């Protein structure tokens, strides 16, 4: 269940944490499954460690794309069916991954700004929001907060 706060009908704050999974000795930061007819396209974002060639597709999985982002592997996979775990192997060891659907509907029709918060104070974040609301008509924001949960 999401952590939702708000003071009136014009303000809504949703807080989410990445759905980190530890599988096969690696850390999967998030797994997003997008419907594709009777199947799914699954985006897998790993923490730095293994290389893309360490992964092989499992049953019902085809790796369409692999990239390294800052030494962390990103995989785009076509997965058979609309439900179930994503099966891969990592250096020959089978792993199973749970993928979640994206939540894009919460931003539908909004002029959304994206920012990354990495230690900035709440006052600085609020100033950034004020400037972009005034200058660009922003009426939604997605802020990736890189602080450890509960640390500030």
């Amino acid at each position: 269940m999401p952590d939702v706060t708000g003071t009136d009908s014009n303000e809504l704050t949703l807080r989410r944490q990445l759905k980190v999974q530890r599988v096969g000795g690696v850390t999967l930061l998030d797994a997003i499954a997008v419907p594709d007819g009777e199947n799914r396209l699954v985006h897998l974002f790993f923490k730095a460690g293994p290389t893309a060639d360490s992964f092989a597709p499992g049953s019902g999985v085809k790796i369409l794309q692999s990239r390294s982002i800052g030494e962390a592997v990103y995989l785009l996979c076509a997965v058979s069916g609309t439900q179930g775990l994503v099966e891969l192997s990592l250096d020959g060891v089978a792993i199973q991954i749970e993928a979640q659907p994206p939540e894009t509907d919460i931003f539908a029709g909004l002029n959304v700004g994206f920012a990354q918060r990495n230690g900035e104070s709440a006052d600085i974040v609020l100033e950034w929001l004020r400037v972009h609301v005034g200058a660009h008509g922003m009426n939604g924001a997605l802020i990736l907060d890189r602080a450890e949960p509960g640390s500030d």
Side-chain angles (χ1 to χ4, degrees), residues 36-106:
D36 185 33
E38 297 294 316
N39 300 302
R40 297 170 281 165
L41 291 175
V42 177
H43 302 265
L44 302 171
F45 302 89
F46 291 89
K47 185 176 178 179
T51 60
D53 60 356
S54 301
F55 292 93
S59 176
V61 176
K62 180 178 179 184
I63 298 175
L64 301 175
Q65 208 176 93
S66 62
R67 295 184 185 161
S68 177
I69 304 170
E71 299 181 18
V73 173
Y74 160 77
L75 298 176
L76 173 61
C77 300
V79 180
S80 298
T82 59
Q83 302 283 330
L85 299 172
V86 178
E87 297 181 11
L88 297 172
S89 67
L90 174 63
D91 293 327
V93 177
I95 59 175
Q96 294 184 326
I97 296 167
E98 181 182 350
Q100 302 294 322
E103 295 182 278
T104 56
D105 59 320
I106 61 178

Side-chain angles (χ1 to χ4, degrees), residues 104-142:
T104 56
D105 59 320
I106 61 178
F107 294 111
L110 298 176
N111 181 12
V112 178
F114 173 74
Q116 180 174 221
R117 180 179 173 265
N118 197 11
E120 292 81 7
S121 69
D123 288 339
I124 290 173
V125 173
L126 287 172
E127 181 60 23
W128 177 85
L129 291 168
R130 276 189 213 98
V131 166
H132 284 77
V133 166
H136 305 290
M138 184 176 76
N139 58 3
L142 174 61

